[in-house]
């Protein structure tokens, strides 16, 4: 590709494509420069370094993912229907875009998260779904962490073919959503010690 027209957005999109094709660990400024047919130094006027590039990839992928999730849950009845749509969109994105999804797991500076419309939308959609279960802080944050770790763990294992039992993987996923729904409906109250 010609150097003319090289922009940060084009670089980040190309890096995200490369991550999906070869894995996030193979995304480097050198690999990206080769893809565009330019010298490595040419990229530094568009991104500061590899960390900056990967942070931008994380924000791009996070935005794509929440767009997909928001579209899936729109107009759904609160509760299990919304949870299943949310979880299904999450899983589909993770499996279809493994490199982009891996980028969403990169720790990102909290100031960037706070300033990102995509990250704010992620919080709005996720917390909105959980508030429909009657949760408030600190239970909201605990529930978000539970869902994220469950979805991430399931997708990570599925993507590597780690589920070896003959049970259908989709059937197990559906039961996982059923179980999460029941748990969210019956969220445990925080244990309080009686006053002395």
């Amino acid at each position: 590709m010609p150097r003319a027209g090289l922009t940060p957005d084009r670089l980040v999109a190309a890096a995200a494509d490369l991550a999906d094709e070869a894995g996030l660990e193979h995304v480097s400024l050198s690999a990206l420069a080769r893809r565009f047919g330019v010298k490595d130094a040419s990229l530094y006027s568009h991104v500061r370094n590899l960390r900056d590039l990967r942070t931008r990839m994380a924000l791009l992928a996070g935005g794509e993912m929440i767009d997909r999730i928001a579209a899936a849950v729109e107009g759904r009845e609160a509760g299990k229907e919304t949870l299943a749509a949310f979880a299904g969109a999450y899983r589909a994105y993770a499996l279809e875009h493994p490199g982009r999804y891996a980028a969403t797991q990169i720790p990102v500076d909290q100031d960037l998260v706070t300033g990102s419309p995509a990250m704010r939308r992620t919080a709005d959609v996720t917390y909105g779904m959980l508030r429909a279960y009657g949760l408030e802080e600190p239970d909201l944050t605990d529930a978000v962490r539970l869902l994220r770790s469950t979805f991430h763990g399931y997708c990570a294992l599925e993507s590597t073919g780690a589920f070896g039992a003959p049970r259908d993987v989709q059937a197990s996923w559906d039961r996982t959503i059923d179980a999460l729904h029941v748990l969210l409906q019956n969220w445990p109250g925080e244990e309080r010690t009686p006053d002395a």
Side-chain angles (χ1 to χ4, degrees), residues 18-30:
L18 178 59
D20 281 342
E21 294 162 17
L24 180 62
E25 67 278 9
H26 294 291
V27 174
S28 67
L29 291 173
S30 294

Side-chain angles (χ1 to χ4, degrees), residues 161-179:
F163 292 132
R167 168 80 162 154
D168 179 65
V169 174
Q170 180 62 46
S172 294
W173 174 261
D174 293 340
R175 294 297 286 157
T176 298
I177 303 309
D178 290 344

Side-chain angles (χ1 to χ4, degrees), residues 15-193:
D17 289 343
L18 178 59
D20 281 342
E21 294 162 17
L24 180 62
E25 67 278 9
H26 294 291
V27 174
S28 67
L29 291 173
S30 294
L32 207 51
R34 284 193 299 276
R35 185 166 275 218
F36 281 95
V38 298
K39 294 186 183 300
D40 294 13
S42 303
L43 304 186
Y44 288 100
S45 59
H46 303 287
V47 292
R48 287 190 303 277
N49 49 38
L50 182 60
R51 181 184 174 97
D52 179 37
L53 176 67
R54 289 188 173 183
T55 296
R56 291 171 188 244
M57 289 171 59
L59 295 174
L60 168 73
E64 291 175 347
M65 191 170 184
I66 195 55
D67 285 347
R68 183 178 288 198
I69 290 170
V73 302
E74 187 175 5
R76 302 258 182 193
E77 186 174 326
K80 184 178 172 187
E81 187 180 350
T82 298
L83 176 64
F86 184 108
Y90 182 109
R91 179 177 171 223
Y93 187 87
L95 297 178
E96 291 167 22
H97 298 288
R100 281 172 158 84
Y101 176 70
T104 68
Q105 305 307 308
I106 295 171
V108 176
D109 183 276
Q110 273 307 115
D111 290 340
L112 290 174
V113 171
T114 304
S116 165
M119 297 304 108
R120 284 196 304 273
R121 188 172 187 212
T122 299
D124 290 345
V125 171
T126 306
Y127 280 74
M129 174 185 69
L130 291 171
R131 280 192 188 96
Y133 282 99
L135 300 181
E136 297 177 3
E137 289 295 5
D139 294 330
L140 276 170
T141 296
D142 294 341
V144 167
R145 289 174 177 170
L146 171 69
L147 293 184
R148 183 178 181 198
S149 56
T150 301
F151 298 162
H152 175 68
Y154 200 99
C155 293
L157 291 167
E158 183 179 9
S159 67
T160 60
F163 292 132
R167 168 80 162 154
D168 179 65
V169 174
Q170 180 62 46
S172 294
W173 174 261
D174 293 340
R175 294 297 286 157
T176 298
I177 303 309
D178 290 344
L180 287 171
H181 171 64
V182 170
L183 173 60
L184 290 169
Q185 285 183 311
N186 299 280
W187 192 262
E190 194 168 342
E191 297 271 339
R192 287 179 170 58
T193 56

